[in-house]
Amino acid sequence: DAGVTQSPTHLIKTRGQHVTLRCSPISGHKSVSWYQQVLGQGPQFIFQYYEKEERGRGNFPDRFSARQFPNYSSELNVNALLLGDSALYLCASSWQQGRYNEQFFGPGTRLTVL
Amino acid sequence: TQLLEQSPQFLSIQEGENLTVYCNSSSVFSSLQWYRQEPGEGPVLLVTVVTGGEVKKLKRLTFQFGDARKDSSLHITAAQPGDTDLYLCAGAQRNAGNMLTFGGGTRLMVKP
């Protein structure tokens, strides 16, 4: 079975631009979460979606938005990019929003903002 | 201040040595997960612990969840160069919708 897939793998943007990152969860998984990982740090939670509804949001500005589609894939959008948005963006899927919430991560999208 | 404090941040040891990584918090977690991550890749789940005092073993790796479910440790016996990676702990809290909060990570280097 395929794992979590993300596209693109790498992206270079300039300040002020907009970016859309995409994620396909493991087949059968209904929950998708997004994380930002700045170099040298642990991942920071951005969003969680379950059954196409937002179930959680981390401490990120409104420039960050996301959505989940009927096939459970997801998009993360970032508007008005800042240099500080440069990071590895990780998508994780889990079967449900359950107690143990074991999450399986994709390879990430490396975003560089110049 | 991070909710989950990992220590040490960096660890450089010789092949064959033992090591322990700690993950500490003042908060209670419903579960705690350990991941390892290669540079430029996504974290890979190693283990999930859910019961206070629980111990799980994965070959040379031993994971322990504190009795009060506020802390955890990862012990590696006879480390090998292939163990070189970033190790991350992540906790889920029921009153936070079971979203994962990650520690800052421990970068381990095992020299041959």
Side-chain angles (χ1 to χ4, degrees):
Chain A
D1 282 341
V4 177
T5 58
Q6 291 186 244
S7 63
T9 54
H10 295 85
L11 203 52
I12 299 175
K13 293 285 189 177
T14 57
R15 282 178 297 176
Q17 285 190 312
H18 161 271
V19 68
T20 297
L21 311 180
R22 295 176 176 85
C23 170
S24 292
I26 292 172
S27 178
H29 283 192
K30 299 180 179 180
S31 180
V32 169
S33 297
W34 288 94
Y35 294 83
Q36 180 196 66
Q37 187 175 24
V38 174
L39 197 63
Q41 298 181 16
Q44 297 292 314
F45 171 73
I46 310 176
F47 286 110
Q48 183 180 76
Y49 277 78
Y50 176 68
E51 287 284 13
K52 302 177 286 294
E53 291 187 3
E54 181 182 306
R55 294 301 182 98
R57 183 183 184 120
N59 189 24
F60 280 80
D62 292 343
R63 299 185 296 107
F64 289 77
S65 63
R67 55 180 176 168
Q68 187 177 33
F69 298 100
N71 67 352
Y72 302 109
S73 67
S74 178
E75 282 183 355
L76 175 70
N77 295 283
V78 187
N79 293 323
L81 285 167
L82 303 173
L83 295 180
D85 295 331
S86 295
L88 181 67
Y89 287 85
L90 296 163
C91 172
S93 78
S94 57
W95 180 57
Q96 61 180 8
Q97 194 192 18
R99 177 186 177 189
Y100 305 131
N101 204 24
E102 287 188 336
Q103 298 191 17
F104 299 88
F105 284 82
T109 293
R110 170 71 60 189
L111 172 64
T112 302
V113 182
L114 302 176
Chain B
T1 304
Q2 284 201 301
L3 186 61
L4 264 176
E5 296 288 340
Q6 252 186 271
S7 62
Q9 283 185 284
F10 302 96
L11 194 53
S12 180
I13 60 173
Q14 293 295 133
E15 181 177 2
E17 292 184 1
N18 301 331
L19 67 114
T20 302
V21 177
Y22 299 93
C23 187
N24 295 296
S25 177
S26 57
S27 301
V28 176
F29 293 99
S30 58
S31 68
L32 198 136
Q33 300 171 25
W34 284 92
Y35 295 84
R36 67 179 286 179
Q37 184 179 24
E38 295 181 22
E41 298 291 329
V44 175
L45 181 65
L46 295 173
V47 78
T48 300
V49 285
V50 299
T51 305
E54 182 176 5
V55 177
K56 282 192 174 179
K57 292 191 175 184
L58 188 65
K59 295 183 182 178
R60 294 176 294 102
L61 278 60
T62 301
F63 305 86
Q64 185 161 6
F65 203 11
D67 291 341
R69 290 186 287 127
K70 294 182 179 181
D71 54 86
S72 182
S73 63
L74 158 61
H75 182 78
I76 301 180
T77 304
Q80 300 176 359
D83 295 330
T84 295
D85 246 338
L86 178 70
Y87 289 82
L88 295 158
C89 63
Q93 291 181 297
R94 204 170 292 127
N95 63 359
N98 281 315
M99 313 307 171
L100 285 182
T101 299
F102 278 84
T106 294
R107 187 159 298 282
L108 172 66
M109 177 178 291
V110 182
K111 300 174 185 177

